[in-house]
Amino acid sequence: MAHDGDVIVIGSGAGGATLAYACARAGKSVILLERGKRYGAERSGGPGIDAQGHDERAMLIEKKPYDDRDVEVNGASKRLYMGGVLGGGTSLYGAALLRPSRDDFQPGRHYGSRIPRAIWDWPVQYDELEAHYTEAERLFGVCGCADDADADFGPLHRPRHVTTAGPLPLHPMNRRLIDGNRAEGLRPFRLPLAIDSSRCIQCNVCAGYICPTGARKSSAQLLDQAVADGLPLRVVTNAEVERLLLDGRGEAQGVEAVDRGSGARTVYRGSRYVLAAGALGSPLVLLKSGANAPLIGRNYMVHLSPIVAGMFRGRTEADSNFVKQVGFADYYFGTPAYAHKLGLVQSLPVPGPLLAAKSAPAFLPRWLIQFLRRRILPLVGIIEDLPDPSNAVSWGADGRPRIAHRFGAYDLERGKTLRELMSRILYRAGAMLCLNSGFASEEHVAHQCGTLRFGTDPREAVLWRDCRVFGHPNVFVVDGSFFPTSLGVGPALTIIANALRVAGVVAAEA
């Protein structure tokens, strides 16, 4: 059977684009299919456009660069803040690329009977990924801590590759955050960011927006560079993959995709097929393809994200400057008084006026919301959402994607504890009071993962340790679906590193 390419990749986010790039660099012909388009300079007009030309209404209210599907979430229809353009989530993320702790790969040490014995240890440990983390940092241009001799990442691993461009200038409020907490024995550090400081204009809005200068590295840029370098890579946008064509032995013989503009159907054939459509999209493709492993779509996880905003006497100017620069891992594995894993704390941008008004209680007047915006500095926590098979993605009876998800009591308890610790961090920086903003809404799906976890036992996982689908020997998965647990940091760097690892297997076989 003739092939259109050696490797067919579905999805252009952190995992899909990285694997496509690596396989093309190895000389394999690659076709990458992306459901979204390349995002253009669309404007909605009206209020919400700031002095730098950022259109908050288009980005965060109308959600133009986000996935355009209505998803049923716990029975309610929602449009999710989930990347829907070329580059997937990396076209909109906050660019913090952190290595996890070595212990993150042995979650049984911290959770014990709270998680199944089969996932007490990841099938791949940190040392096997270490070189791939370094390559991932190089590909995405990580910068942030090279000039800070006092930076202490605690239980996390410090970046090995940091660009020579240097970090972004530290905002004065972040200097207060660092100095006030170091004086009390904490170890704040500069976040490693995939941002080219020589091109960055230090927007007050970053995460959630398309970067206006291209300073924030995305996987779309990685694909563009591969094409510019003449590598054998073809990128097809606006192509919705409906299913894999599986034969009686479980091998994929093609991918059926629909052009979302014309409705034309095309079958793309290759030697190896790689799913990277996200923890929502990849299991849905497998389910529609007739794959029937019992754990497909189950154990859906998103980080629990407690948010606390410190209120200061004067203007922080965080509403008009780039402030997502500082991380704390002091409470990553808990405290002497609370010996439970809590995860990372990091600074967060101040929401824009429209999003702040949308999120605030209806009785608050606009002038008060804007007064508060000018005087706050927010922090967010990243707490592991423990796997639960009842948290799952599936197809609804009406043909829409469906998510069922609830945080467990243990997760919520840890969230409350971390909120209290985050308040103390802000008070040490001079905050007069702290506003508990609760947790992110169901529309904000932070760091989706877990729906096709890898392992060594088909009864307990969906993928082998090389991320090959059980029973489907030429199908692989390289998005966050493969995570058995969700780590205490954002998943992007681990997804990229794992994609580089799996690309070695795929390229050798294709």
Side-chain angles (χ1 to χ4, degrees):
M1 183 182 298
H3 289 165
D4 300 297
D6 297 318
V7 182
I8 311 296
V9 180
I10 302 164
S12 66
T18 299
L19 180 135
Y21 170 84
C23 286
R25 187 175 58 182
K28 302 300 177 179
S29 61
V30 180
I31 298 174
L32 184 144
L33 306 174
E34 166 55 48
R35 183 180 184 277
K37 297 180 181 180
R38 182 184 296 275
Y39 188 79
E42 300 180 41
R43 301 288 187 191
S44 65
I49 300 179
D50 67 15
Q52 294 168 320
H54 302 304
D55 191 339
E56 184 187 8
R57 182 172 299 282
M59 292 285 144
L60 298 181
I61 305 302
E62 298 173 2
K63 303 178 182 175
K64 288 188 175 180
Y66 292 89
D67 194 290
D68 59 5
R69 287 173 287 191
D70 288 325
V71 178
E72 181 187 317
V73 182
N74 297 327
S77 181
K78 296 182 183 295
R79 278 277 313 281
L80 303 178
Y81 287 103
M82 181 173 66
V85 294
L86 186 67
T90 68
S91 289
L92 297 155
Y93 69 159
L97 296 184
L98 291 113
R99 298 187 184 210
S101 165
R102 189 178 301 273
D103 278 8
D104 276 319
F105 295 86
Q106 298 175 320
R109 296 180 61 178
H110 298 277
Y111 296 124
S113 61
R114 296 182 189 276
I115 60 175
R117 180 65 182 84
I119 60 169
W120 277 17
D121 295 282
W122 281 36
V124 171
Q125 293 295 298
Y126 176 83
D127 288 344
E128 190 170 345
L129 285 172
E130 205 281 333
H132 300 303
Y133 278 122
T134 302
E135 174 66 1
E137 289 161 353
R138 186 192 68 79
L139 286 177
F140 279 75
V142 169
C143 70
C145 59
D147 68 336
D148 191 350
D150 295 325
D152 184 346
F153 283 68
L156 305 182
H157 288 272
R158 188 185 183 112
R160 291 289 182 88
H161 177 90
V162 181
T163 62
T164 57
L168 295 167
L170 192 64
H171 188 272
M173 285 302 301
N174 284 328
R175 173 51 64 193
R176 289 179 62 179
L177 194 64
I178 289 174
D179 292 346
N181 282 280
R182 280 186 180 163
E184 296 296 325
L186 271 67
R187 300 168 296 176
F189 56 85
R190 302 276 288 269
L191 289 172
L193 300 170
I195 295 177
D196 182 348
S197 57
S198 68
R199 300 170 64 189
C200 179
I201 57 176
Q202 300 173 54
C203 305
N204 60 304
V205 293
C206 185
Y209 285 72
I210 300 292
C211 181
T213 67
R216 190 182 66 211
K217 183 79 174 199
S218 73
S219 57
Q221 294 173 353
L222 194 64
L223 296 171
D224 288 344
Q225 186 60 54
V227 172
D229 291 344
L231 298 182
L233 170 64
R234 178 186 171 198
V235 178
V236 183
T237 58
N238 215 31
E240 177 137 31
V241 168
E242 293 208 329
R243 61 191 179 110
L244 297 164
L245 304 177
L246 303 176
D247 65 17
R249 299 170 300 169
E251 291 201 19
Q253 299 299 320
V255 166
E256 184 176 8
V258 177
D259 184 292
R260 299 183 66 211
S262 67
R265 293 180 176 270
T266 304
V267 173
Y268 297 89
R269 302 186 187 276
S271 171
R272 294 295 179 271
Y273 299 84
V274 181
L275 283 165
L280 175 66
S282 289
L284 292 179
V285 170
L286 280 178
L287 289 170
K288 188 166 280 190
S289 304
N292 58 8
L295 289 182
I296 291 176
R298 302 219 171 251
N299 298 295
Y300 172 82
M301 294 175 282
V302 290
H303 279 139
L304 180 66
S305 301
I307 300 171
V308 177
M311 174 65 63
F312 292 78
R313 187 178 302 279
R315 288 197 61 171
T316 62
E317 298 185 350
D319 64 315
S320 56
N321 289 275
F322 181 84
V323 294
K324 185 181 177 179
Q325 296 178 297
V326 182
F328 295 81
D330 300 86
Y331 310 126
Y332 201 80
F333 291 122
T335 71
Y338 189 80
H340 298 274
K341 187 176 179 183
L342 295 174
L344 185 73
V345 173
Q346 65 184 39
S347 47
L348 190 70
V350 173
L354 298 182
L355 189 61
K358 175 184 175 182
S359 306
F363 62 81
L364 286 184
R366 286 290 182 97
W367 68 264
L368 180 56
I369 294 172
Q370 300 317 314
F371 177 86
L372 296 174
R373 284 186 64 250
R374 297 186 184 104
R375 287 162 176 79
I376 63 171
L377 185 68
L379 295 178
V380 64
I382 297 177
I383 294 177
E384 279 190 284
D385 171 21
L386 296 190
D388 179 344
S390 66
N391 288 336
V393 303
S394 60
W395 288 106
D398 59 359
R400 287 189 303 171
R402 181 169 57 190
I403 296 173
H405 178 267
R406 300 291 184 191
F407 289 110
Y410 180 60
D411 303 327
L412 296 170
E413 173 195 302
R414 291 182 293 148
K416 180 180 178 182
T417 300
L418 189 57
R419 277 203 306 255
E420 295 170 357
L421 294 167
M422 290 159 61
S423 295
R424 295 179 197 173
I425 289 173
L426 289 163
Y427 284 129
R428 293 187 192 108
M432 295 188 304
L433 59 91
C434 289
L435 307 174
N436 175 6
S437 300
F439 304 108
S441 73
E442 287 184 339
E443 294 179 356
H444 292 83
V445 284
H447 310 151
Q448 298 168 296
C449 62
T451 51
L452 300 169
R453 72 186 184 202
F454 72 163
T456 58
D457 185 344
R459 295 170 299 180
E460 300 287 349
V462 181
L463 314 174
W464 292 108
R465 71 185 304 276
D466 62 2
C467 291
R468 191 191 313 262
V469 182
F470 290 135
H472 305 287
N474 64 341
V475 181
F476 297 79
V477 177
V478 294
D479 52 40
S481 302
F482 83 92
F483 283 34
T485 50
S486 58
L487 309 178
V489 297
L493 190 69
T494 298
I495 292 172
I496 296 164
N498 182 67
L500 292 169
R501 179 184 73 91
V502 176
V505 177
V506 173
E509 293 183 0

